[in-house]
Amino acid sequence: FVGSGSVVSARRTLIRTCRVNPDWGTSRRDVTFSLASVLVGLTLGEGIPGETIPAEEPKRVKKPKKGTKEEKSYQLCLSQCLYSCTQPKPTLAKDRGACRTECKDECATTAEQL
């Protein structure tokens, strides 16, 4: 059994920590409702009433440099070449390592890509 002194101290704590409207009543029902509404808000990701959440900085996407292995056109060419090279053929089947060497030579535009 909770005495009325505990309810008042709980209400003060709730108001101080959660910034709940101080005009709400001091009854157990009002304090319970206040606490429940704050907890539901926290569960739904709304945060504590009156609290400001700092905006996240947008992530910067680095563009791959031209002439490197990270260049999109080089990766696309290499991927397509490897796919077509490793397809089963009736005459001769090549392993991926041999195809990779051939495709690098075919797709590379700079020495760094080899």
Side-chain angles (χ1 to χ4, degrees):
F1 183 77
V2 178
S4 62
S6 298
V7 171
V8 172
S9 66
R11 180 178 179 271
R12 286 183 188 142
T13 304
L14 186 64
I15 290 170
R16 187 175 44 245
T17 58
C18 298
R19 298 182 190 95
V20 175
N21 188 347
D23 295 330
W24 290 352
T26 58
S27 69
R28 281 188 214 151
R29 181 175 182 227
D30 292 337
V31 172
T32 303
F33 176 75
S34 301
L35 183 57
S37 65
V38 168
L39 292 176
V40 167
L42 290 174
T43 304
L44 297 176
E46 296 173 5
I48 297 173
E51 177 185 42
T52 58
I53 300 172
E56 292 183 19
E57 292 184 27
K59 294 182 179 179
R60 294 183 184 179
V61 178
K62 290 186 351 183
K63 274 188 156 181
K65 296 178 183 175
K66 292 251 182 214
T68 63
K69 290 182 179 182
E70 288 81 28
E71 186 179 352
K72 197 71 172 173
S73 61
Y74 172 72
Q75 289 180 352
L76 183 62
C77 176
L78 195 62
S79 174
Q80 289 174 344
C81 181
L82 281 172
Y83 175 76
S84 63
C85 183
T86 55
Q87 286 293 315
K89 297 175 183 119
T91 57
L92 177 63
K94 293 183 183 178
D95 70 330
R96 191 168 175 87
C99 286
R100 187 169 180 86
T101 305
E102 288 178 21
C103 290
K104 277 187 175 184
D105 291 337
E106 184 181 321
C107 295
T109 56
T110 64
E112 188 178 339
Q113 290 175 341
L114 293 173

